[in-house]
Amino acid sequence: MAEFVESNIQATVPEVEEIERIGLLNKKEIKALIEKRREHEYRIIRMTKSKTDYINYINYEKKLLDLLKIRRKKMRMFEKFKEIEGAIYLRVMKRCRFMTRCWQSHLDTWALRINFARAINWKAEVSIAYAEQIRYHGQLESVYIDWAKFEVEERDNFDAARKILLSKAPLYHKNSRLIKRELFRLELLYVESLKIRKSEGKAITEIIEESREKVLNCEIPRAVYRDAVKTMPDQQLYLELYRVADKFPFAHDLREEIYKDLTEAFPNSESLWLLKAQRAVMGMESKETANGDGCKKTKDTKNEEDSDSDLDSDDSEIEPYMKNPVIAVDKVKVAIAIYDQGLDAVGPSFLATYIEELMLMLRDGWSTQIMDIIIQKLYKLFESNQKSLLPEHFVIWVHLLEREENSSELADEVLKTAVEVHPSCPPLCVEYYKSLLKNEIPCGIKEIPKKKLMEKFKKVAKSAKGAYAVKMWEEFISSIRHNKTKMAQILEGCEQNDDTVSRVMRIRYLEWLNCHKPIRKVRLAYQYFHKKPPISGRFFALMIKGELTKKLSDLSLARGVFEDAAIFLGKTHPDFWLAYIYFEKFATGLNVGALYTRAEKELEAQHAETFRELDAFVKAYINQKSSEKNVADENEESETVWVTEEQTEEPEECKDANVCLFPDGYMLTYTYDQERKTFFKVLHDMKTLFKTGYKIKKIASDWEDVMEELVGMPVPLSIKKVNLKNSPSVDFSDATNNQNKKKTYQLSDQLDPGKEKVAVKSAQGELDTILKKSSTLKPEFMQKTELAPYFVSNRKARAMRRKERKKNKGKGWSDMKAPEMTEELKQDLEILQMRPVLDPKRPFKNKDLKVLPKYFQMGKIQDSPAEFYSSRIPKKNRKRTMAEEILNDEEALSYQKRKYTEIVTKKQRLDPRWNADGEKKKKKKSKKVQEAN
């Protein structure tokens, strides 16, 4: 590997020498450049290739090119460009080519190669890259269109673009509407370029003189159009080709031809009538087409005015606006007249489109004279087509009636009709039920409701289930003003068979008890419900909150509630364990460590990881809040730093109306603007509700209230989930040497690859693989004191493997590892070596090792149930180690004492220096000494 790296570094020496000779970089920068390149080379030359390493290498070279460009401009030194930048271009391009061949299915690698080639103005390389890309991504229409767009805009090569869309794209996309549309646009762009050249006085030599006039009169786009609609007679294709031709002023004759063919092929289509209204408002529609009698072909706008000026019309509303643009009020009248004709021609299927267009015009013309015209038209449509209306249309009808005075009865009738037409639509049923309660009980229920009213309620709520049923119960209970009656209905809801209703009603009941009743009542309710499913974490949290806040509270009972909750929530709720731990800190301060151990043991692996992160988060949060003094700064910091789960609202629809009433726009006052936003926001929410249905609102965590009581401050117990998005693509648009990029002419339109959403295989799939294999993107990484080296030589790797082999006994001993030698283990091993002297009645082999063993395992002897009374050691006699057992064994001690006495006595008999009493004998004095004395 090192030889290849040094060889690649050696190849860059000439350019580095030129950089140093010219003075673009100093010696220190040159040294850093070489070291950085060597580091990148080692990364990209590995056997296991990583796309990230190549992207980092290319980004580094791109920054180097930017630096050289700045230095050249500053020093006004522009020589040796080919030897320096040219060499860098070639080397980076080789890396890009390798990436596209190694990761062929990744679209971002192809985009990186193409963008870099365009940045350095290597146009031939861009064409080669596109040609290679369609081998692997021929199923993507956007690739062909991007390639053709590049050939037209940057190389001015219409023949190459035409070959791409005519010859290469149909191989994969024979009947593609997008390809046919862009081919039609391409031919119109070609005609436009010819007209520009002719106006500038330039010769058009590529077309023979006999065909030049036909080409300039759009005969080629007309042929493309006819072939497209012949092979693919699609209504949407007609409309797209019409809109493309409308953008070119010289192609209006072709546009009218397309419109005529569209009216003949699809005379009763919804989109055709929308187009008719648009043309009539813009002064393009003839009287015959406005009445639905066909389309009169026109050659020019002026010719249209002359040819149709003497014709009569039966439609008095549309006739004054045929040839000239009209004001906003007249635009609405014209559009409504044409939409009415379309509704008669198409039928009820056009009704939804009609109402949608009217609502878009209502949004644009709010608080103007247009508003009254549109509302009155909507009322007529609603009344005459009640059975064909969608649920959202009934909602629009009701909200429009609510804006008027003395229309509540009519709104109730509309809701009743809506429920009859759509009996299985929960939001409509809820709205109708609210109106029933409001009409029959205008001041609310102040006493026990009558049996007739209860039957009505049960009849409406009988088919309701889940969150829909909860909504019905809540609407009924909210209408009750009498507390006893309200509690009676909540208790009845607690006993419902629907688990969702029962769970929510129990929570509501416990919340009311906590607010209005003593703790004794709360305990009785908890004792009655806590063993009856369904149970939620919020139910236990409310009970504990009551024990913490009420008078005569009992912490031992609260601990019992925690233990009951652990049965239901112990495996999957880390926030519950955190609340339990802080409760013990608040109560006694004991058993906190045991609770940490218990939580780690009972929680599942994924939730245990969340528990550790949440614990660290809460500690840091509490420490920060306790150190802050300013309350205002505290609130701001909690909003900006400690982010919990986000709740994003869907934006309102911003679709433009088919008929533009005010091209320049108009200003509304603040009051009218807020009124319009509120009205359409309610309609948008109801439309979303029709799609999703009712859902139970989930609190971020059920135990936040308990934590607030224990800690004394609000503590969020939900960590925001971070979704890693795709890595940003590399952009070389501002890279080097863009001075040669020129546009020969300004086009009226450009090729458009559409708004396709192509799933890029590279980003998320590779990211998930990295996250699974990574050792750094994990919490335990921060606990390490040292990291493994990035590169390990072969010699060191062999030494490391040899060292690993020494850590266990080998495969023959099941890879037995060497445990840590402690003082207790050492004593037990020494006792085992001396075991022959422990029991005289049991023979043992001689010890096979003169030293203590290195590899061993400790086990526990399982007593046999058949020898319960004969050979079992009672628990009170069992000790922690073998040494302690021997020291507490009377028989063993008496045997050892007896043996010790025998050894001492025997030694005394053999040694003449000791007498029978165990005392040392006195030495006799010699005769000479006695005589001397």
Side-chain angles (χ1 to χ4, degrees):
M1 181 185 291
E3 292 82 358
F4 291 107
V5 172
E6 294 303 326
S7 175
N8 294 339
I9 295 296
Q10 191 69 25
T12 63
V13 170
E15 69 184 63
V16 173
E17 290 178 348
E18 293 294 338
I19 292 174
E20 186 177 7
R21 186 182 65 80
I22 296 176
L24 296 176
L25 298 176
N26 56 35
K27 291 184 177 180
K28 188 176 180 180
E29 291 172 336
I30 292 292
K31 185 178 180 181
L33 171 64
I34 294 174
E35 291 298 326
K36 198 67 178 177
R37 280 181 172 173
R38 181 178 285 109
E39 180 183 349
H40 283 294
E41 289 288 344
Y42 270 111
R43 288 180 179 272
I44 66 177
I45 209 169
R46 293 182 297 184
M47 294 296 294
T48 304
K49 305 297 182 183
S50 174
K51 187 173 66 175
T52 307
D53 296 335
Y54 281 86
I55 293 177
N56 292 337
Y57 173 78
I58 294 172
N59 283 335
Y60 179 75
E61 294 293 342
K62 183 241 180 181
K63 292 178 182 177
L64 175 62
L65 291 171
D66 292 340
L67 177 62
L68 294 178
K69 183 179 180 181
I70 295 171
R71 294 282 175 89
R72 282 183 179 276
K73 186 176 181 180
K74 185 177 181 180
M75 299 171 59
R76 297 182 180 179
M77 184 70 66
F78 300 103
E79 61 179 7
K80 298 294 181 180
F81 188 88
K82 183 178 180 181
E83 288 78 4
I84 300 174
E85 280 84 354
I88 298 175
Y89 291 165
L90 183 59
R91 186 171 59 256
V92 174
M93 187 54 63
K94 288 181 180 179
R95 304 300 185 193
C96 292
R97 292 169 186 164
F98 177 81
M99 288 180 62
T100 54
R101 293 182 179 95
C102 188
W103 295 280
Q104 300 166 354
S105 60
H106 296 189
L107 291 177
D108 53 350
T109 59
W110 292 99
L112 188 149
R113 176 181 173 181
I114 292 170
N115 291 338
F116 185 78
R118 295 179 70 173
I120 63 179
N121 204 24
W122 284 15
K123 296 181 179 179
E125 178 63 30
V126 177
S127 299
I128 294 171
Y130 274 120
E132 292 182 7
Q133 186 179 7
I134 62 174
R135 298 178 189 173
Y136 307 103
H137 297 283
Q139 75 280 4
L140 299 179
E141 301 171 347
S142 58
V143 177
Y144 298 96
I145 299 174
D146 286 336
W147 188 7
K149 184 177 181 180
F150 165 76
E151 295 291 343
V152 171
E153 295 180 358
E154 299 192 20
R155 304 190 74 179
D156 194 15
N157 192 346
F158 283 92
D159 291 336
R162 192 176 291 114
K163 183 179 179 181
I164 294 166
L165 296 179
L166 273 175
S167 302
K168 298 183 181 297
L171 296 176
Y172 290 91
H173 309 280
K174 186 176 181 180
N175 294 322
S176 171
R177 187 172 68 243
L178 183 61
I179 296 295
K180 294 182 183 299
R181 183 194 73 189
E182 296 309 317
L183 179 61
F184 180 71
R185 195 197 305 267
L186 173 67
E187 297 300 339
L188 289 175
L189 288 171
Y190 179 63
V191 175
E192 183 186 30
S193 66
L194 293 179
K195 288 182 175 293
I196 292 174
R197 288 164 58 185
K198 184 178 179 181
S199 63
E200 293 176 354
K202 297 180 181 179
I204 305 174
T205 58
E206 66 268 23
I207 302 175
I208 59 177
E209 189 174 355
E210 293 125 10
S211 304
R212 197 171 297 164
E213 194 64 28
K214 291 183 179 180
V215 172
L216 292 176
N217 289 333
C218 301
E219 287 299 325
I220 298 178
R222 185 174 284 106
V224 172
Y225 152 69
R226 290 172 180 171
D227 179 72
V229 298
K230 182 179 179 181
T231 57
M232 191 178 178
D234 184 16
Q235 171 189 349
Q236 192 64 27
L237 179 60
Y238 279 100
L239 292 172
E240 290 181 0
L241 296 182
Y242 174 87
R243 292 191 174 93
V244 171
D246 185 49
K247 294 181 180 180
F248 296 89
F250 58 85
H252 285 179
D253 291 345
L254 180 57
R255 178 196 66 187
E256 296 303 321
E257 181 181 346
I258 296 172
Y259 177 68
K260 178 184 176 181
D261 295 342
L262 177 61
T263 55
E264 293 177 354
F266 305 96
N268 294 326
S269 63
E270 297 180 9
S271 55
L272 176 61
W273 287 100
L274 293 176
L275 184 60
K276 284 183 178 181
Q278 189 179 28
R279 287 169 57 86
V281 167
M282 296 174 63
M284 299 164 55
E285 184 76 5
S286 66
K287 289 172 287 188
E288 296 178 358
T289 54
N291 291 323
D293 299 332
C295 176
K296 184 176 181 63
K297 182 177 179 181
T298 58
K299 295 184 178 180
D300 203 339
T301 307
K302 295 182 179 180
N303 295 333
E304 287 181 3
E305 296 178 359
D306 297 337
S307 61
D308 296 336
S309 59
D310 299 330
L311 296 176
D312 296 331
S313 174
D314 297 334
D315 197 330
S316 59
E317 294 184 10
I318 305 176
E319 183 178 358
Y321 317 112
M322 289 302 175
K323 302 298 173 223
N324 300 316
V326 292
I327 61 176
V329 177
D330 297 332
K331 287 180 181 180
V332 173
K333 292 180 180 179
V334 171
I336 289 176
I338 295 178
Y339 289 155
D340 287 337
Q341 296 175 6
L343 185 61
D344 296 336
V346 178
S349 60
F350 185 65
L351 181 63
T353 305
Y354 191 180
I355 295 175
E356 182 182 4
E357 290 297 324
L358 289 179
M359 292 302 297
L360 292 175
M361 288 191 287
L362 177 64
R363 183 195 63 190
D364 295 340
W366 191 269
S367 75
T368 61
Q369 187 180 356
I370 297 171
M371 185 175 179
D372 297 332
I373 299 173
I374 295 175
I375 290 177
Q376 294 303 321
K377 186 61 187 177
L378 285 171
Y379 285 159
K380 292 180 181 179
L381 288 175
F382 292 149
E383 291 174 358
S384 58
N385 301 278
Q386 292 184 5
K387 295 184 179 180
S388 302
L389 295 178
L390 299 175
E392 57 197 54
H393 298 156
F394 284 103
V395 173
I396 295 172
W397 193 358
V398 171
H399 281 80
L400 288 175
L401 290 173
E402 289 178 351
R403 297 183 69 258
E404 301 178 1
E405 297 180 356
N406 301 325
S407 59
S408 59
E409 295 181 359
L410 185 58
D412 296 338
E413 293 179 1
V414 170
L415 284 173
K416 184 178 180 180
T417 306
V419 173
E420 292 175 355
V421 176
H422 301 281
S424 60
C425 183
L428 285 180
C429 295
V430 171
E431 294 296 323
Y432 176 60
Y433 182 66
K434 288 166 64 176
S435 68
L436 284 178
L437 289 174
K438 185 177 179 181
N439 293 332
E440 297 192 13
I441 319 168
C443 299
I445 301 174
K446 297 183 179 180
E447 56 185 7
I448 299 176
K450 298 180 180 179
K451 186 177 181 181
K452 184 178 180 181
L453 181 62
M454 291 299 299
E455 289 179 354
K456 276 189 177 182
F457 166 71
K458 292 180 181 179
K459 183 178 180 181
V460 176
K462 187 176 181 180
S463 59
K465 294 182 180 180
Y468 171 35
V470 172
K471 185 67 178 177
M472 300 291 288
W473 277 92
E474 287 180 346
E475 291 296 335
F476 177 72
I477 292 171
S478 62
S479 66
I480 300 175
R481 300 292 182 267
H482 193 257
N483 287 336
K484 289 185 178 180
T485 308
K486 180 180 290 188
M487 286 304 100
Q489 298 307 313
I490 292 178
L491 280 173
E492 185 177 348
C494 294
E495 301 293 342
Q496 290 295 310
N497 294 328
D498 194 333
D499 291 348
T500 307
V501 176
S502 178
R503 188 183 298 110
V504 175
M505 289 297 117
R506 291 179 185 184
I507 293 172
R508 289 282 302 273
Y509 183 59
L510 213 60
E511 286 176 347
W512 185 85
L513 289 177
N514 275 332
C515 295
H516 300 89
K517 296 296 180 179
I519 188 63
R520 180 175 57 84
K521 295 287 186 181
V522 181
R523 290 171 184 166
L524 290 174
Y526 172 77
Q527 291 295 331
Y528 179 76
F529 286 120
H530 87 280
K531 291 184 179 180
K532 289 184 176 182
I535 300 293
S536 64
R538 184 66 180 165
F539 182 79
F540 292 106
L542 288 172
M543 181 60 206
I544 293 170
K545 183 180 178 182
E547 289 288 355
L548 294 175
T549 56
K550 293 280 187 180
K551 294 181 179 180
L552 304 176
S553 60
D554 192 346
L555 296 182
S556 61
L557 294 178
R559 188 178 289 108
V561 177
F562 271 113
E563 290 296 331
D564 294 339
I567 300 173
F568 295 93
L569 312 173
K571 293 184 178 180
T572 57
H573 287 71
D575 51 348
F576 155 72
W577 286 107
L578 203 61
Y580 197 0
I581 289 169
Y582 276 86
F583 169 77
E584 288 294 342
K585 291 181 180 179
F586 169 80
T588 59
L590 303 176
N591 301 327
V592 175
L595 278 179
Y596 271 107
T597 306
R598 183 180 172 188
E600 292 278 356
K601 183 178 179 181
E602 294 191 16
L603 284 171
E604 297 176 358
Q606 179 182 359
H607 298 290
E609 183 68 28
T610 306
F611 170 73
R612 290 187 287 269
E613 295 178 1
L614 191 60
D615 183 33
F617 166 76
V618 170
K619 287 179 180 177
Y621 184 86
I622 293 174
N623 292 335
Q624 179 182 359
K625 292 301 178 183
S626 61
S627 62
E628 292 177 354
K629 297 181 180 179
N630 194 343
V631 178
D633 294 340
E634 174 183 343
N635 294 333
E636 293 178 3
E637 189 71 16
S638 64
E639 293 177 0
T640 55
V641 176
W642 304 109
V643 184
T644 56
E645 293 180 356
E646 293 181 339
Q647 296 180 355
T648 56
E649 296 183 356
E650 295 183 2
E652 296 184 12
E653 298 180 359
C654 298
K655 182 180 177 181
D656 295 330
N658 184 54
V659 176
C660 181
L661 302 178
F662 303 97
D664 300 330
Y666 74 104
M667 295 295 294
L668 278 175
T669 62
Y670 177 79
T671 304
Y672 284 123
D673 187 42
Q674 292 298 317
E675 181 184 353
R676 178 177 66 174
K677 288 181 179 179
T678 304
F679 178 79
F680 284 96
K681 179 66 168 57
V682 172
L683 296 182
H684 178 265
D685 293 341
M686 289 299 296
K687 188 176 181 180
T688 305
L689 189 61
F690 288 134
K691 295 179 180 178
T692 60
Y694 286 106
K695 295 181 180 179
I696 302 296
K697 293 183 179 180
K698 293 184 178 180
I699 306 175
S701 176
D702 298 329
W703 300 90
E704 288 186 359
D705 296 342
V706 178
M707 284 293 294
E708 184 177 356
E709 296 294 335
L710 294 171
V711 180
M713 66 177 73
V715 179
L717 293 181
S718 57
I719 300 177
K720 177 184 174 182
K721 296 180 180 179
V722 181
N723 297 322
L724 298 177
K725 300 182 179 179
N726 298 345
S727 57
S729 59
V730 183
D731 184 17
F732 295 103
S733 58
D734 59 341
T736 59
N737 196 20
N738 292 330
Q739 54 190 359
N740 297 328
K741 298 176 67 173
K742 298 179 181 178
K743 297 195 73 171
T744 56
Y745 52 86
Q746 186 69 30
L747 299 174
S748 298
D749 197 7
Q750 296 179 352
L751 298 184
D752 183 14
K755 298 181 180 180
E756 292 182 330
K757 293 185 178 180
V758 182
V760 181
K761 182 181 177 181
S762 61
Q764 193 62 36
E766 186 173 348
L767 179 61
D768 295 338
T769 306
I770 292 173
L771 291 176
K772 288 180 181 179
K773 295 182 179 180
S774 176
S775 59
T776 58
L777 301 177
K778 294 179 181 178
E780 54 266 22
F781 175 75
M782 301 304 296
Q783 301 176 0
K784 294 183 178 181
T785 57
E786 59 181 5
L787 299 178
Y790 182 79
F791 175 75
V792 181
S793 63
N794 292 336
R795 180 180 296 178
K796 191 171 183 180
R798 286 195 297 269
M800 292 172 62
R801 288 194 295 269
R802 193 182 304 113
K803 189 176 180 180
E804 286 294 328
R805 285 197 299 269
K806 290 182 179 180
K807 290 183 179 180
N808 55 62
K809 189 67 174 174
K811 294 183 179 179
W813 291 86
S814 302
D815 295 327
M816 185 186 296
K817 295 183 179 180
E820 182 182 359
M821 184 64 71
T822 61
E823 192 65 29
E824 295 176 351
L825 286 177
K826 186 177 179 181
Q827 291 177 359
D828 290 345
L829 291 173
E830 290 176 348
I831 290 174
L832 287 175
Q833 283 188 333
M834 297 183 293
R835 65 184 182 272
V837 300
L838 296 178
D839 192 351
K841 299 179 181 179
R842 182 180 299 176
F844 292 96
K845 294 181 180 180
N846 294 331
K847 58 182 180 180
D848 52 352
L849 293 175
K850 295 182 179 180
V851 295
L852 297 180
K854 180 179 179 181
Y855 304 100
F856 59 90
Q857 291 180 351
M858 301 294 292
K860 183 178 180 181
I861 300 175
Q862 296 292 335
D863 297 325
S864 174
E867 300 175 352
F868 185 81
Y869 296 102
S870 59
S871 63
R872 185 181 65 89
I873 301 176
K875 288 186 178 180
K876 63 180 181 180
N877 295 338
R878 296 182 185 184
K879 303 299 178 183
R880 218 163 34 89
T881 61
M882 293 176 64
E884 291 181 1
E885 286 188 0
I886 293 172
L887 291 176
N888 288 274
D889 189 356
E890 296 181 359
E891 294 182 1
L893 288 178
S894 60
Y895 173 73
Q896 297 298 326
K897 186 175 181 180
R898 181 168 58 83
K899 295 298 291 184
Y900 176 76
T901 307
E902 291 177 358
I903 293 171
V904 171
T905 305
K906 186 177 180 181
K907 190 174 181 181
Q908 290 176 354
R909 290 174 182 173
L910 296 175
D911 194 349
R913 293 176 298 176
W914 299 86
N915 57 20
D917 298 331
E919 297 178 357
K920 194 173 182 180
K921 293 182 179 179
K922 297 181 179 180
K923 291 184 179 181
K924 294 182 179 181
K925 297 180 179 179
S926 63
K927 293 180 178 181
K928 293 181 179 181
V929 175
Q930 292 177 358
E931 291 176 356
N933 292 334

